[in-house]
Amino acid sequence: MAQRVFSGIQPTGNIHIGNYLGAIKNWVELQHKYDSLFCVVDYHAITVEYESDLMHKRVLELAATIMAAGVDPNKAILFVQSSVPEHTELTWLLTCITSIGSLERMTQFKEKSKRQKGGVFAGLMNYPVLMAADILIYKADLVPVGDDQIQHLELTREICRRFNSMFKEVFPEPQPILTKAARIMALNDPTSKMSKSIEGSYISMDDDDQTIRQKIRRAVTDPGPQGGEMGPGVKNLFTLLEAFGDAADVKQLAEDYKKQSLRYSDLKATVGEAIVEKLAPIRHRQAEILAKPDTLTDILVEGGKKAQKIASETLAEVRDAMGFKMPQK
Ligand code: AMP
Ligand code: TRP
């Protein structure tokens, strides 16, 4: 049987090129090799303050971006987390075998808690349990993630081992697939990662050509090529060029850098064009998909049904293993 891949992304608005390179782009390749499920994880997005009246729009936009980038709903199962309630039921069951200490130790929990002005709710702490449920309910073998999610995946593995040893060997232990562009740095501060919560740090998947070029022109670099180790800003531009541009340009500009003859304005122009060239068609396809909301909804509903079939089978095994024997209607 083909190995199974699961991954998710939150509909929090402003999907940026870090999310694209760190997640979605790899999904496109993985769908050809594995039995894949890709999920818009809307229940994760409510663990911090959010705008409920924008939620549905964001879910559709993100699903459209994922498809526009090349995920084919006939190859992979593409669906919305909240349409498969089995995820939340499994979350409860797993919550009961997850220690509070390990949840409190999560770096992302600590960071996000600091930013919550209206109070820190239990959902934020339990976020990694929901993520574990997402993965385990499909018995996924492989989980492509950026390096910021490795800690959550480790916790998933811990929960998986505990369940299997306490009750029954139900779940395979999922392995991470670390994506090539595991960390794209902020354009205005290349020592921290590109993030939608830092204004000026990202290029959004919705940015038009001019905006993309302008943002790259303004990217922070350093005074000039030194020939030795690249500074973080220049390195980040090269990472972007490797991801979006062609190998010949990367080679040429890297040689120029070594010879200390590289002009950063040339590097930026090449990077800017490379990004524009890759993103413009994705943006146009996304608009076409969004112009037919009924078709998109049908695709997601269909994906949800396929996912639910697998999820409900696993959940039945889990309930049985944990001692719940009442028949389900
Ligand atoms: P987020 O929206 O931050 O929850 O992230 C969604 C996905 O994008 C996850 O798989 C992250 O690992 C990935 N991601 C987020 N920011 C970056 C970044 N700056 N570089 C690479 N991947 C990222
Ligand atoms: N926590 C992930 C992020 O913020 C999103 C996510 C939720 C996920 N469930 C998942 C990723 C399961 C991989 C597998 O990026």
Side-chain angles (χ1 to χ4, degrees):
M1 211 169 64
Q3 283 198 302
R4 186 170 284 156
V5 161
F6 181 95
S7 197
I9 184 164
Q10 301 187 61
T12 34
N14 280 330
I15 291 299
H16 54 71
I17 55 172
N19 303 129
Y20 172 65
L21 297 178
I24 301 171
K25 186 168 179 249
N26 302 291
W27 298 0
V28 177
E29 289 158 28
L30 293 168
Q31 69 181 342
H32 299 293
K33 278 206 233 154
Y34 301 102
D35 172 10
S36 308
L37 294 110
F38 300 122
C39 186
V40 176
V41 290
D42 50 352
Y43 276 177
H44 275 102
I46 65 170
T47 56
V48 292
E49 283 143 32
Y50 77 104
E51 290 165 277
S52 54
D53 41 350
L54 290 181
M55 177 61 87
H56 186 58
K57 180 169 173 273
R58 290 190 163 156
V59 166
L60 293 184
E61 281 173 358
L62 179 53
T65 301
I66 295 170
M67 282 169 54
V71 168
D72 175 357
N74 294 315
K75 281 221 157 69
I77 298 179
L78 176 65
F79 73 109
V80 181
Q81 189 184 34
S82 64
S83 72
V84 183
E86 282 79 357
H87 288 229
T88 40
E89 188 171 342
L90 182 60
T91 301
W92 173 248
L93 299 175
L94 299 180
T95 299
C96 294
I97 59 162
T98 305
S99 81
I100 295 178
S102 48
L103 292 171
E104 284 172 336
R105 268 196 300 280
M106 294 290 118
T107 309
Q108 206 163 77
F109 171 63
K110 288 192 264 187
E111 278 172 9
K112 287 188 180 171
S113 326
K114 278 190 238 150
R115 282 189 255 137
Q116 293 306 299
K117 295 179 199 80
V120 177
F121 297 117
L124 186 60
M125 191 173 79
N126 287 323
Y127 174 117
V129 191
L130 178 58
M131 179 162 161
D134 294 339
I135 297 166
L136 297 177
I137 206 156
Y138 300 105
K139 301 189 178 181
D141 303 289
L142 299 166
V143 183
V145 281
D147 66 353
D148 60 330
Q149 296 300 316
I150 289 293
Q151 200 185 27
H152 288 158
L153 200 63
E154 258 322 303
L155 184 60
T156 299
R157 287 155 57 83
E158 197 181 303
I159 295 172
C160 165
R161 287 192 294 267
R162 183 164 312 129
F163 183 96
N164 286 347
S165 75
M166 280 176 76
F167 303 108
K168 194 177 160 205
E169 281 278 333
V170 171
F171 304 119
E173 206 170 305
Q175 308 289 332
I177 306 181
L178 244 195
T179 50
K180 270 177 255 152
R183 187 172 283 235
I184 303 298
M185 307 312 280
L187 296 175
N188 56 352
D189 170 14
T191 56
S192 45
K193 78 164 194 170
M194 181 176 285
S195 159
K196 58 195 141 211
S197 52
I198 309 173
E199 209 35 62
S201 78
Y202 59 83
I203 289 176
S204 161
M205 294 299 284
D206 298 332
D207 284 343
D208 60 33
D209 296 353
Q210 273 322 93
T211 310
I212 295 172
R213 291 188 186 104
Q214 195 182 50
K215 284 184 177 174
I216 291 293
R217 265 201 307 274
R218 290 195 190 137
V220 169
T221 49
D222 51 46
Q226 311 297 318
E229 174 112 17
M230 284 177 194
V234 179
K235 207 163 153 203
N236 198 37
L237 290 174
F238 269 97
T239 306
L240 291 174
L241 190 60
E242 276 162 23
F244 287 106
D246 51 61
D249 281 342
V250 177
K251 191 160 171 266
Q252 180 62 52
L253 295 173
E255 276 168 19
D256 292 350
Y257 180 88
K258 250 190 235 148
K259 287 188 271 175
Q260 303 185 26
S261 63
L262 176 65
R263 293 203 327 222
Y264 289 163
S265 54
D266 292 340
L267 172 64
K268 286 177 170 180
T270 311
V271 174
E273 280 327 300
I275 300 178
V276 163
E277 216 172 279
K278 287 280 159 45
L279 292 198
I282 297 181
R283 212 163 55 236
H284 295 143
R285 272 199 299 277
Q286 191 220 23
E288 281 166 19
I289 296 167
L290 284 174
K292 294 183 193 147
D294 292 346
T295 311
L296 177 57
T297 304
D298 286 348
I299 289 170
L300 295 173
V301 168
E302 206 40 52
K305 283 188 193 151
K306 287 187 206 157
Q308 189 166 29
K309 188 168 176 298
I310 309 170
S312 61
E313 284 169 14
T314 309
L315 190 61
E317 270 183 78
V318 170
R319 289 171 54 95
D320 184 73
M322 291 181 81
F324 301 98
K325 307 290 179 186
M326 289 288 285
Q328 293 268 291
K329 278 216 188 106

